[in-house]
């Protein structure tokens, strides 16, 4: 067996303490003898949610040798609240211990630069691999099998039950509901996301009329008792009276027949879309990626495809899907749909001439016109957020998930991490606050003069009278708090480290198998090195007149099984986006290594 690079693993420390351990403190010494996978995540990040799903099968298969430890490292201020992390752990079905690290102490100790990042620690307490982004489960499983064999032979592998202690279930009617739809009957249909069901509530928004779905994670069509969903979210009424459902973790659109409760699949294969997959075609044959919301606009169902930072459409008449806007790059760029950048679009609302959307990771309210051009009403980018009313150009949201069109042409925004309902008026260009003290509102629907809000973290629908006057709130502005990397002005060597997993090689059958895209905020920071190329290393030139900024780096690598006898080798795509805050100082680093997969041995 080839000698493996190893570095002693730093201790796991976090001011917020441990979740899912029965109040027991964990340390690396107590985990010695087990293979530990440390998952650095934050609950706003859809890529982190993808990794949670990727790890489920590995956790189950190697339950007696592998311990997964989540380290929650917040981006938004709300994510530093301990109860919010506790809620997220239950909301997303995390069945392993989680360390709440609000001050990013362990993040810094492990020199992590991106969400999500996975670190593998061997049974003797040494880091043996690091992977940024998603799509690495196959490589990690192969490494786990190698470590099991190696340490079983050495006598350093310890088998047994892990330290996970499940929380007590709560007897609420709904559990972290996501979206709501007002039905023609006057009842409400709610996506009961954490329980993997749809729930019809009576007009009082409390009484359960029926539940649709088995309540277990799954991807099965059928009647209301046998059909299954996987963390469903968005809902929209189709012209034929049925409901289209964004079945998020199944990467699918489903159809609910309101008369019978029967569920069928409209679009998606159950597999997650990856770079290189088809971007249009027969709906049941094209992969999707975490569809979060749906709305009917211009005769088609528009899909907030949060997992790839795009908008897609589903054509009910033709039975096809296609990309409508977005490049898959994460950020805030307006313009023609094919050139626009989004960042986890999560809420949609249609009017006659505009499709409004909540672009959650840029804390932005945006819209698409009838010509397919993308515009931004409120929001500046990935790193600025807060709670500030006033002129749209300086107003701030914090990770909004829902939008609702109001009769006067304005828009209500479920400003999720500010626990508020906000309003944007296109006529005046002003943002106001309609209501506060709503726990993680994620959607809302108009009912006469009232607005019914999904209070996701209070597990209920809340009815409010739309106020005539705005609520006054104290303005707060934030920037993502991550330590800046000190780099020298002038030449900077960017190295993205990618080592193909054991038994695999770079896939060069159809040309280059790697891609590197670099940009910056502000754009003036980069004098040289911006743009896309196939080499994972690049010489950048930083503008000495700019003292600080953010380097945006997107990398992709494809690897395949290295077996000449196999005509159809299994192939895997590894990809990650980094936003690296940098500070330019004399004597700073002249090399910036970013680990996509493997270890930086320089």
């Amino acid at each position: 067996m080839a000698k493996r690079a190893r570095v002693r693993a730093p201790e796991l420390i976090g001011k917020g303490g441990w979740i899912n351990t029965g109040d027991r403190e964990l340390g690396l010494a107590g985990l010695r003898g087990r293979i530990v996978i440390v998952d650095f995540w934050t609950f706003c990040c859809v890529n982190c949610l993808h990794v949670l799903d990727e790890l489920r099968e590995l956790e189950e298969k190697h339950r007696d040798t592998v311990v997964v430890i989540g380290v929650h490292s917040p981006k938004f201020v709300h994510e530093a609240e301990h109860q919010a992390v506790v809620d997220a752990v239950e909301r997303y079905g995390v069945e392993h211990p989680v360390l709440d690290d609000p001050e990013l102490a362990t993040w810094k100790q492990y020199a992590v630069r991106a969400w999500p990042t996975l670190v593998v620690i061997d049974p003797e307490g040494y880091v043996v691999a690091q992977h940024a982004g998603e799509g690495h489960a196959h490589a990690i499983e192969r490494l786990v099998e190698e470590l099991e064999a190696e340490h079983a032979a050495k006598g350093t592998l310890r088998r047994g039950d892990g330290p996970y202690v499940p929380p007590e279930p709560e007897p609420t009617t709904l559990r972290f509901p996501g979206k709501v739809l007002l039905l023609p009957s006057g009842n409400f249909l709610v996506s009961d996301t954490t329980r993997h069901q749809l729930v019809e509530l009576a007009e009082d928004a409390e009484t359960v009329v029926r539940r649709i779905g088995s309540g277990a994670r799954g991807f099965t069509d059928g009647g209301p008792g046998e059909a299954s969903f996987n963390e469903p979210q968005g809902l929209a009424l189709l012209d034929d009276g049925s409901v289209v459902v964004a079945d998020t973790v199944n990467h699918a659109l489903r159809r609910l027949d309101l008369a019978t409760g029967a569920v069928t699949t409209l679009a998606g294969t159950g597999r997650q879309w990856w770079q290189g997959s088809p971007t249009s075609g027969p709906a049941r044959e094209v992969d999707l990626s975490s569809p979060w919301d749906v709305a009917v606009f211009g005769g088609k169902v528009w899909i907030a495809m949060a997992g790839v930072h795009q908008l897609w459409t589903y054509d009910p008449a033709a039975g096809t899907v296609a990309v409508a806007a977005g490049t898959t790059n994460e950020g805030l760029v307006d313009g023609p749909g094919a050139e626009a950048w989004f960042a986890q679009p999560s809420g949609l609302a249609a009017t006659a001439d505009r499709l409004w959307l909540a672009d959650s990771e840029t804390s932005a309210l945006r819209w698409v016109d009838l010509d397919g051009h993308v515009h931004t009403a409120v929001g500046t980018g990935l790193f600025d957020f807060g709670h500030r009313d006033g002129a749209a150009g300086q107003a701030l949201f914090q990770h909004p998930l829902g939008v609702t069109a109001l009769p006067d042409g304005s828009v209500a925004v479920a400003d999720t991490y500010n626990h508020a309902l906000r309003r944007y008026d296109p006529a005046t260009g002003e943002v106001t606050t309609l209501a506060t003290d709503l726990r993680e509102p994620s959607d809302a629907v108009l009912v006469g003069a009232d607005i019914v809000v999904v209070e996701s973290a209070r597990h209920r629908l809340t009815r409010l009278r739309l106020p005539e006057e705005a609520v006054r709130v104290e303005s707060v502005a934030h920037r993502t708090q991550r330590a800046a990397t000190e780099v020298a002005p002038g030449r900077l060597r960017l190295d993205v480290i990618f080592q193909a997993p054991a038994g695999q090689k770079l896939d060069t059958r159809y040309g280059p198998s790697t891609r590197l895209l670099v940009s910056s905020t502000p754009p003036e920071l980069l004098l040289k090195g911006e743009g896309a190329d196939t080499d994972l290393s690049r010489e950048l030139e930083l503008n000495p007149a700019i003292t600080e900024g953010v380097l945006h780096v997107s990398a992709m690598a494809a690897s395949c099984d290295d077996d000449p006898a196999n005509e159809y080798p299994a192939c895997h795509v590894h990809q990650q986006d980094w936003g690296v805050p940098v500070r330019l100082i004399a004597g700073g680093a002249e090399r910036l290594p970013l680990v996509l997969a493997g270890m930086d041995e320089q």
Side-chain angles (χ1 to χ4, degrees), residues 332-337 340-342 353-357 359 364-379:
L332 192 153
V333 176
D334 289 340
W341 291 23
F342 300 98
D353 60 352
R354 292 188 181 187
L355 178 72
W356 292 97
L357 66 116
D359 203 26
L365 173 65
R366 305 176 73 184
W367 53 280
V368 182
D369 63 27
L370 290 171
D371 294 325
H373 281 67
V374 179
H375 311 260
T376 297
V378 182

PDB file of all heavy atoms in Angstrom, residues 332-337 340-342 353-357 359 364-379:
ATOM      1  N   LEU A 332     -24.107  37.326  -8.173  1.00  0.00           N
ATOM      2  CA  LEU A 332     -25.196  38.217  -8.552  1.00  0.00           C
ATOM      3  C   LEU A 332     -24.782  38.996  -9.791  1.00  0.00           C
ATOM      4  O   LEU A 332     -23.999  39.946  -9.715  1.00  0.00           O
ATOM      5  CB  LEU A 332     -25.533  39.168  -7.388  1.00  0.00           C
ATOM      6  CG  LEU A 332     -26.840  39.961  -7.521  1.00  0.00           C
ATOM      7  CD1 LEU A 332     -27.392  40.311  -6.134  1.00  0.00           C
ATOM      8  CD2 LEU A 332     -26.663  41.238  -8.325  1.00  0.00           C
ATOM      9  N   VAL A 333     -25.264  38.544 -10.942  1.00  0.00           N
ATOM     10  CA  VAL A 333     -24.998  39.208 -12.218  1.00  0.00           C
ATOM     11  C   VAL A 333     -26.323  39.289 -12.970  1.00  0.00           C
ATOM     12  O   VAL A 333     -26.989  38.268 -13.161  1.00  0.00           O
ATOM     13  CB  VAL A 333     -23.949  38.442 -13.063  1.00  0.00           C
ATOM     14  CG1 VAL A 333     -23.771  39.122 -14.420  1.00  0.00           C
ATOM     15  CG2 VAL A 333     -22.621  38.351 -12.328  1.00  0.00           C
ATOM     16  N   ASP A 334     -26.703  40.496 -13.375  1.00  0.00           N
ATOM     17  CA  ASP A 334     -27.935  40.688 -14.141  1.00  0.00           C
ATOM     18  C   ASP A 334     -27.654  40.604 -15.635  1.00  0.00           C
ATOM     19  O   ASP A 334     -26.511  40.520 -16.078  1.00  0.00           O
ATOM     20  CB  ASP A 334     -28.533  42.054 -13.805  1.00  0.00           C
ATOM     21  CG  ASP A 334     -29.117  42.110 -12.402  1.00  0.00           C
ATOM     22  OD1 ASP A 334     -29.413  41.033 -11.836  1.00  0.00           O
ATOM     23  OD2 ASP A 334     -29.278  43.227 -11.866  1.00  0.00           O
ATOM     24  N   GLY A 335     -28.738  40.652 -16.431  1.00  0.00           N
ATOM     25  CA  GLY A 335     -28.595  40.653 -17.885  1.00  0.00           C
ATOM     26  C   GLY A 335     -29.455  39.583 -18.530  1.00  0.00           C
ATOM     27  O   GLY A 335     -30.379  39.039 -17.899  1.00  0.00           O
ATOM     28  N   PRO A 336     -29.178  39.259 -19.781  1.00  0.00           N
ATOM     29  CA  PRO A 336     -29.915  38.169 -20.450  1.00  0.00           C
ATOM     30  C   PRO A 336     -29.807  36.880 -19.641  1.00  0.00           C
ATOM     31  O   PRO A 336     -28.785  36.620 -19.001  1.00  0.00           O
ATOM     32  CB  PRO A 336     -29.196  38.049 -21.797  1.00  0.00           C
ATOM     33  CG  PRO A 336     -28.504  39.357 -21.999  1.00  0.00           C
ATOM     34  CD  PRO A 336     -28.144  39.854 -20.650  1.00  0.00           C
ATOM     35  N   GLY A 337     -30.870  36.083 -19.700  1.00  0.00           N
ATOM     36  CA  GLY A 337     -30.911  34.877 -18.874  1.00  0.00           C
ATOM     37  C   GLY A 337     -29.685  33.997 -19.010  1.00  0.00           C
ATOM     38  O   GLY A 337     -29.186  33.461 -18.022  1.00  0.00           O
ATOM     39  N   ALA A 340     -26.843  35.503 -16.796  1.00  0.00           N
ATOM     40  CA  ALA A 340     -27.094  35.877 -15.405  1.00  0.00           C
ATOM     41  C   ALA A 340     -26.491  34.865 -14.442  1.00  0.00           C
ATOM     42  O   ALA A 340     -26.355  33.684 -14.756  1.00  0.00           O
ATOM     43  CB  ALA A 340     -28.590  35.991 -15.160  1.00  0.00           C
ATOM     44  N   TRP A 341     -26.119  35.360 -13.274  1.00  0.00           N
ATOM     45  CA  TRP A 341     -25.656  34.504 -12.169  1.00  0.00           C
ATOM     46  C   TRP A 341     -26.664  34.615 -11.030  1.00  0.00           C
ATOM     47  O   TRP A 341     -27.148  35.710 -10.713  1.00  0.00           O
ATOM     48  CB  TRP A 341     -24.288  34.938 -11.650  1.00  0.00           C
ATOM     49  CG  TRP A 341     -23.134  34.731 -12.570  1.00  0.00           C
ATOM     50  CD1 TRP A 341     -23.145  34.622 -13.932  1.00  0.00           C
ATOM     51  CD2 TRP A 341     -21.751  34.645 -12.184  1.00  0.00           C
ATOM     52  NE1 TRP A 341     -21.878  34.462 -14.422  1.00  0.00           N
ATOM     53  CE2 TRP A 341     -20.997  34.480 -13.383  1.00  0.00           C
ATOM     54  CE3 TRP A 341     -21.080  34.693 -10.970  1.00  0.00           C
ATOM     55  CZ2 TRP A 341     -19.609  34.364 -13.377  1.00  0.00           C
ATOM     56  CZ3 TRP A 341     -19.690  34.581 -10.965  1.00  0.00           C
ATOM     57  CH2 TRP A 341     -18.968  34.414 -12.151  1.00  0.00           C
ATOM     58  N   PHE A 342     -26.957  33.480 -10.411  1.00  0.00           N
ATOM     59  CA  PHE A 342     -27.808  33.430  -9.227  1.00  0.00           C
ATOM     60  C   PHE A 342     -27.036  32.761  -8.090  1.00  0.00           C
ATOM     61  O   PHE A 342     -25.947  32.212  -8.299  1.00  0.00           O
ATOM     62  CB  PHE A 342     -29.086  32.635  -9.509  1.00  0.00           C
ATOM     63  CG  PHE A 342     -29.937  33.194 -10.614  1.00  0.00           C
ATOM     64  CD1 PHE A 342     -29.864  32.681 -11.909  1.00  0.00           C
ATOM     65  CD2 PHE A 342     -30.825  34.223 -10.380  1.00  0.00           C
ATOM     66  CE1 PHE A 342     -30.643  33.185 -12.942  1.00  0.00           C
ATOM     67  CE2 PHE A 342     -31.619  34.744 -11.402  1.00  0.00           C
ATOM     68  CZ  PHE A 342     -31.517  34.213 -12.690  1.00  0.00           C
ATOM     69  N   ASP A 353     -46.401  40.291 -15.622  1.00  0.00           N
ATOM     70  CA  ASP A 353     -45.234  40.667 -16.425  1.00  0.00           C
ATOM     71  C   ASP A 353     -43.895  40.443 -15.727  1.00  0.00           C
ATOM     72  O   ASP A 353     -42.853  40.764 -16.300  1.00  0.00           O
ATOM     73  CB  ASP A 353     -45.334  42.127 -16.856  1.00  0.00           C
ATOM     74  CG  ASP A 353     -45.411  43.088 -15.670  1.00  0.00           C
ATOM     75  OD1 ASP A 353     -45.532  42.621 -14.518  1.00  0.00           O
ATOM     76  OD2 ASP A 353     -45.345  44.308 -15.906  1.00  0.00           O
ATOM     77  N   ARG A 354     -43.895  39.910 -14.517  1.00  0.00           N
ATOM     78  CA  ARG A 354     -42.637  39.682 -13.810  1.00  0.00           C
ATOM     79  C   ARG A 354     -42.670  38.362 -13.033  1.00  0.00           C
ATOM     80  O   ARG A 354     -43.697  38.006 -12.460  1.00  0.00           O
ATOM     81  CB  ARG A 354     -42.338  40.800 -12.802  1.00  0.00           C
ATOM     82  CG  ARG A 354     -42.036  42.141 -13.429  1.00  0.00           C
ATOM     83  CD  ARG A 354     -41.569  43.142 -12.381  1.00  0.00           C
ATOM     84  NE  ARG A 354     -41.304  44.447 -12.967  1.00  0.00           N
ATOM     85  CZ  ARG A 354     -40.762  45.475 -12.332  1.00  0.00           C
ATOM     86  NH1 ARG A 354     -40.426  45.345 -11.052  1.00  0.00           N
ATOM     87  NH2 ARG A 354     -40.546  46.624 -12.938  1.00  0.00           N
ATOM     88  N   LEU A 355     -41.521  37.697 -13.024  1.00  0.00           N
ATOM     89  CA  LEU A 355     -41.327  36.562 -12.127  1.00  0.00           C
ATOM     90  C   LEU A 355     -40.370  37.028 -11.035  1.00  0.00           C
ATOM     91  O   LEU A 355     -39.186  37.277 -11.287  1.00  0.00           O
ATOM     92  CB  LEU A 355     -40.726  35.362 -12.867  1.00  0.00           C
ATOM     93  CG  LEU A 355     -40.442  34.141 -11.985  1.00  0.00           C
ATOM     94  CD1 LEU A 355     -41.755  33.472 -11.573  1.00  0.00           C
ATOM     95  CD2 LEU A 355     -39.537  33.152 -12.694  1.00  0.00           C
ATOM     96  N   TRP A 356     -40.881  37.199  -9.820  1.00  0.00           N
ATOM     97  CA  TRP A 356     -40.068  37.633  -8.688  1.00  0.00           C
ATOM     98  C   TRP A 356     -39.364  36.420  -8.084  1.00  0.00           C
ATOM     99  O   TRP A 356     -39.928  35.322  -8.048  1.00  0.00           O
ATOM    100  CB  TRP A 356     -40.937  38.298  -7.620  1.00  0.00           C
ATOM    101  CG  TRP A 356     -41.527  39.612  -8.053  1.00  0.00           C
ATOM    102  CD1 TRP A 356     -42.788  39.819  -8.550  1.00  0.00           C
ATOM    103  CD2 TRP A 356     -40.889  40.887  -8.035  1.00  0.00           C
ATOM    104  NE1 TRP A 356     -42.966  41.146  -8.837  1.00  0.00           N
ATOM    105  CE2 TRP A 356     -41.814  41.831  -8.521  1.00  0.00           C
ATOM    106  CE3 TRP A 356     -39.617  41.321  -7.641  1.00  0.00           C
ATOM    107  CZ2 TRP A 356     -41.522  43.185  -8.627  1.00  0.00           C
ATOM    108  CZ3 TRP A 356     -39.322  42.681  -7.737  1.00  0.00           C
ATOM    109  CH2 TRP A 356     -40.261  43.590  -8.231  1.00  0.00           C
ATOM    110  N   LEU A 357     -38.152  36.636  -7.594  1.00  0.00           N
ATOM    111  CA  LEU A 357     -37.473  35.515  -6.946  1.00  0.00           C
ATOM    112  C   LEU A 357     -36.632  35.977  -5.767  1.00  0.00           C
ATOM    113  O   LEU A 357     -36.028  37.055  -5.785  1.00  0.00           O
ATOM    114  CB  LEU A 357     -36.600  34.755  -7.941  1.00  0.00           C
ATOM    115  CG  LEU A 357     -35.397  35.450  -8.544  1.00  0.00           C
ATOM    116  CD1 LEU A 357     -34.119  34.741  -8.111  1.00  0.00           C
ATOM    117  CD2 LEU A 357     -35.477  35.456 -10.049  1.00  0.00           C
ATOM    118  N   ASP A 359     -33.358  35.298  -4.008  1.00  0.00           N
ATOM    119  CA  ASP A 359     -32.049  34.714  -4.305  1.00  0.00           C
ATOM    120  C   ASP A 359     -31.299  34.666  -2.977  1.00  0.00           C
ATOM    121  O   ASP A 359     -30.670  35.636  -2.558  1.00  0.00           O
ATOM    122  CB  ASP A 359     -31.333  35.597  -5.332  1.00  0.00           C
ATOM    123  CG  ASP A 359     -30.276  34.857  -6.121  1.00  0.00           C
ATOM    124  OD1 ASP A 359     -30.391  33.632  -6.272  1.00  0.00           O
ATOM    125  OD2 ASP A 359     -29.338  35.512  -6.606  1.00  0.00           O
ATOM    126  N   ALA A 364     -30.921  38.642  -1.800  1.00  0.00           N
ATOM    127  CA  ALA A 364     -31.415  39.557  -2.829  1.00  0.00           C
ATOM    128  C   ALA A 364     -32.845  39.245  -3.239  1.00  0.00           C
ATOM    129  O   ALA A 364     -33.292  38.097  -3.200  1.00  0.00           O
ATOM    130  CB  ALA A 364     -30.502  39.502  -4.059  1.00  0.00           C
ATOM    131  N   LEU A 365     -33.545  40.308  -3.667  1.00  0.00           N
ATOM    132  CA  LEU A 365     -34.833  40.196  -4.347  1.00  0.00           C
ATOM    133  C   LEU A 365     -34.583  40.547  -5.808  1.00  0.00           C
ATOM    134  O   LEU A 365     -34.093  41.632  -6.124  1.00  0.00           O
ATOM    135  CB  LEU A 365     -35.853  41.165  -3.746  1.00  0.00           C
ATOM    136  CG  LEU A 365     -37.191  41.261  -4.481  1.00  0.00           C
ATOM    137  CD1 LEU A 365     -37.959  39.944  -4.407  1.00  0.00           C
ATOM    138  CD2 LEU A 365     -38.032  42.409  -3.925  1.00  0.00           C
ATOM    139  N   ARG A 366     -34.919  39.621  -6.720  1.00  0.00           N
ATOM    140  CA  ARG A 366     -34.629  39.814  -8.135  1.00  0.00           C
ATOM    141  C   ARG A 366     -35.882  39.493  -8.955  1.00  0.00           C
ATOM    142  O   ARG A 366     -36.846  38.939  -8.427  1.00  0.00           O
ATOM    143  CB  ARG A 366     -33.442  38.937  -8.544  1.00  0.00           C
ATOM    144  CG  ARG A 366     -32.226  39.203  -7.647  1.00  0.00           C
ATOM    145  CD  ARG A 366     -31.061  38.309  -7.934  1.00  0.00           C
ATOM    146  NE  ARG A 366     -30.416  38.676  -9.195  1.00  0.00           N
ATOM    147  CZ  ARG A 366     -29.402  38.003  -9.718  1.00  0.00           C
ATOM    148  NH1 ARG A 366     -28.928  36.910  -9.108  1.00  0.00           N
ATOM    149  NH2 ARG A 366     -28.847  38.390 -10.854  1.00  0.00           N
ATOM    150  N   TRP A 367     -35.842  39.809 -10.238  1.00  0.00           N
ATOM    151  CA  TRP A 367     -36.998  39.493 -11.081  1.00  0.00           C
ATOM    152  C   TRP A 367     -36.572  39.263 -12.522  1.00  0.00           C
ATOM    153  O   TRP A 367     -35.527  39.723 -12.961  1.00  0.00           O
ATOM    154  CB  TRP A 367     -38.070  40.553 -10.988  1.00  0.00           C
ATOM    155  CG  TRP A 367     -37.652  41.974 -11.246  1.00  0.00           C
ATOM    156  CD1 TRP A 367     -37.024  42.820 -10.386  1.00  0.00           C
ATOM    157  CD2 TRP A 367     -37.857  42.734 -12.443  1.00  0.00           C
ATOM    158  NE1 TRP A 367     -36.815  44.039 -10.965  1.00  0.00           N
ATOM    159  CE2 TRP A 367     -37.326  44.030 -12.223  1.00  0.00           C
ATOM    160  CE3 TRP A 367     -38.442  42.443 -13.682  1.00  0.00           C
ATOM    161  CZ2 TRP A 367     -37.358  45.032 -13.180  1.00  0.00           C
ATOM    162  CZ3 TRP A 367     -38.483  43.438 -14.648  1.00  0.00           C
ATOM    163  CH2 TRP A 367     -37.947  44.718 -14.389  1.00  0.00           C
ATOM    164  N   VAL A 368     -37.415  38.485 -13.211  1.00  0.00           N
ATOM    165  CA  VAL A 368     -37.219  38.158 -14.619  1.00  0.00           C
ATOM    166  C   VAL A 368     -38.364  38.781 -15.402  1.00  0.00           C
ATOM    167  O   VAL A 368     -39.530  38.650 -15.017  1.00  0.00           O
ATOM    168  CB  VAL A 368     -37.204  36.628 -14.840  1.00  0.00           C
ATOM    169  CG1 VAL A 368     -36.946  36.301 -16.301  1.00  0.00           C
ATOM    170  CG2 VAL A 368     -36.170  35.963 -13.952  1.00  0.00           C
ATOM    171  N   ASP A 369     -38.037  39.480 -16.506  1.00  0.00           N
ATOM    172  CA  ASP A 369     -39.096  40.083 -17.317  1.00  0.00           C
ATOM    173  C   ASP A 369     -39.576  39.103 -18.394  1.00  0.00           C
ATOM    174  O   ASP A 369     -39.068  37.982 -18.512  1.00  0.00           O
ATOM    175  CB  ASP A 369     -38.644  41.416 -17.906  1.00  0.00           C
ATOM    176  CG  ASP A 369     -37.462  41.301 -18.871  1.00  0.00           C
ATOM    177  OD1 ASP A 369     -37.298  40.227 -19.482  1.00  0.00           O
ATOM    178  OD2 ASP A 369     -36.718  42.289 -19.014  1.00  0.00           O
ATOM    179  N   LEU A 370     -40.540  39.538 -19.193  1.00  0.00           N
ATOM    180  CA  LEU A 370     -41.133  38.647 -20.191  1.00  0.00           C
ATOM    181  C   LEU A 370     -40.159  38.274 -21.298  1.00  0.00           C
ATOM    182  O   LEU A 370     -40.355  37.292 -22.009  1.00  0.00           O
ATOM    183  CB  LEU A 370     -42.389  39.303 -20.791  1.00  0.00           C
ATOM    184  CG  LEU A 370     -43.591  39.412 -19.844  1.00  0.00           C
ATOM    185  CD1 LEU A 370     -44.681  40.270 -20.451  1.00  0.00           C
ATOM    186  CD2 LEU A 370     -44.124  38.032 -19.471  1.00  0.00           C
ATOM    187  N   ASP A 371     -39.090  39.068 -21.443  1.00  0.00           N
ATOM    188  CA  ASP A 371     -38.061  38.753 -22.440  1.00  0.00           C
ATOM    189  C   ASP A 371     -36.961  37.857 -21.884  1.00  0.00           C
ATOM    190  O   ASP A 371     -36.000  37.544 -22.595  1.00  0.00           O
ATOM    191  CB  ASP A 371     -37.429  40.050 -22.972  1.00  0.00           C
ATOM    192  CG  ASP A 371     -38.421  40.886 -23.764  1.00  0.00           C
ATOM    193  OD1 ASP A 371     -39.273  40.284 -24.450  1.00  0.00           O
ATOM    194  OD2 ASP A 371     -38.356  42.131 -23.680  1.00  0.00           O
ATOM    195  N   GLY A 372     -37.081  37.466 -20.616  1.00  0.00           N
ATOM    196  CA  GLY A 372     -36.088  36.576 -20.019  1.00  0.00           C
ATOM    197  C   GLY A 372     -34.870  37.281 -19.449  1.00  0.00           C
ATOM    198  O   GLY A 372     -33.897  36.622 -19.079  1.00  0.00           O
ATOM    199  N   HIS A 373     -34.894  38.606 -19.373  1.00  0.00           N
ATOM    200  CA  HIS A 373     -33.790  39.342 -18.763  1.00  0.00           C
ATOM    201  C   HIS A 373     -33.939  39.351 -17.244  1.00  0.00           C
ATOM    202  O   HIS A 373     -35.050  39.419 -16.718  1.00  0.00           O
ATOM    203  CB  HIS A 373     -33.732  40.785 -19.284  1.00  0.00           C
ATOM    204  CG  HIS A 373     -33.107  40.904 -20.643  1.00  0.00           C
ATOM    205  ND1 HIS A 373     -33.701  40.381 -21.773  1.00  0.00           N
ATOM    206  CD2 HIS A 373     -31.946  41.472 -21.048  1.00  0.00           C
ATOM    207  CE1 HIS A 373     -32.934  40.621 -22.827  1.00  0.00           C
ATOM    208  NE2 HIS A 373     -31.852  41.286 -22.418  1.00  0.00           N
ATOM    209  N   VAL A 374     -32.810  39.305 -16.563  1.00  0.00           N
ATOM    210  CA  VAL A 374     -32.783  39.228 -15.098  1.00  0.00           C
ATOM    211  C   VAL A 374     -32.395  40.594 -14.536  1.00  0.00           C
ATOM    212  O   VAL A 374     -31.448  41.243 -15.028  1.00  0.00           O
ATOM    213  CB  VAL A 374     -31.784  38.155 -14.621  1.00  0.00           C
ATOM    214  CG1 VAL A 374     -31.730  38.091 -13.103  1.00  0.00           C
ATOM    215  CG2 VAL A 374     -32.169  36.791 -15.203  1.00  0.00           C
ATOM    216  N   HIS A 375     -33.114  41.028 -13.489  1.00  0.00           N
ATOM    217  CA  HIS A 375     -32.883  42.321 -12.853  1.00  0.00           C
ATOM    218  C   HIS A 375     -32.785  42.122 -11.336  1.00  0.00           C
ATOM    219  O   HIS A 375     -33.361  41.179 -10.789  1.00  0.00           O
ATOM    220  CB  HIS A 375     -34.035  43.289 -13.142  1.00  0.00           C
ATOM    221  CG  HIS A 375     -34.413  43.379 -14.591  1.00  0.00           C
ATOM    222  ND1 HIS A 375     -33.994  44.399 -15.416  1.00  0.00           N
ATOM    223  CD2 HIS A 375     -35.169  42.557 -15.372  1.00  0.00           C
ATOM    224  CE1 HIS A 375     -34.482  44.217 -16.637  1.00  0.00           C
ATOM    225  NE2 HIS A 375     -35.201  43.103 -16.640  1.00  0.00           N
ATOM    226  N   THR A 376     -32.097  43.020 -10.665  1.00  0.00           N
ATOM    227  CA  THR A 376     -32.013  42.980  -9.202  1.00  0.00           C
ATOM    228  C   THR A 376     -32.708  44.208  -8.628  1.00  0.00           C
ATOM    229  O   THR A 376     -32.388  45.343  -9.010  1.00  0.00           O
ATOM    230  CB  THR A 376     -30.550  42.942  -8.724  1.00  0.00           C
ATOM    231  OG1 THR A 376     -29.945  41.739  -9.191  1.00  0.00           O
ATOM    232  CG2 THR A 376     -30.469  42.975  -7.208  1.00  0.00           C
ATOM    233  N   ALA A 377     -33.663  43.986  -7.725  1.00  0.00           N
ATOM    234  CA  ALA A 377     -34.344  45.080  -7.042  1.00  0.00           C
ATOM    235  C   ALA A 377     -33.614  45.462  -5.756  1.00  0.00           C
ATOM    236  O   ALA A 377     -33.397  46.634  -5.475  1.00  0.00           O
ATOM    237  CB  ALA A 377     -35.788  44.684  -6.728  1.00  0.00           C
ATOM    238  N   VAL A 378     -33.222  44.434  -4.962  1.00  0.00           N
ATOM    239  CA  VAL A 378     -32.549  44.667  -3.682  1.00  0.00           C
ATOM    240  C   VAL A 378     -31.458  43.619  -3.526  1.00  0.00           C
ATOM    241  O   VAL A 378     -31.703  42.432  -3.761  1.00  0.00           O
ATOM    242  CB  VAL A 378     -33.531  44.557  -2.491  1.00  0.00           C
ATOM    243  CG1 VAL A 378     -32.824  44.842  -1.175  1.00  0.00           C
ATOM    244  CG2 VAL A 378     -34.718  45.495  -2.665  1.00  0.00           C
ATOM    245  N   GLY A 379     -30.268  44.033  -3.116  1.00  0.00           N
ATOM    246  CA  GLY A 379     -29.182  43.090  -2.868  1.00  0.00           C
ATOM    247  C   GLY A 379     -27.939  43.472  -3.646  1.00  0.00           C
ATOM    248  O   GLY A 379     -28.028  44.050  -4.739  1.00  0.00           O
TER     249      GLY A 379
END
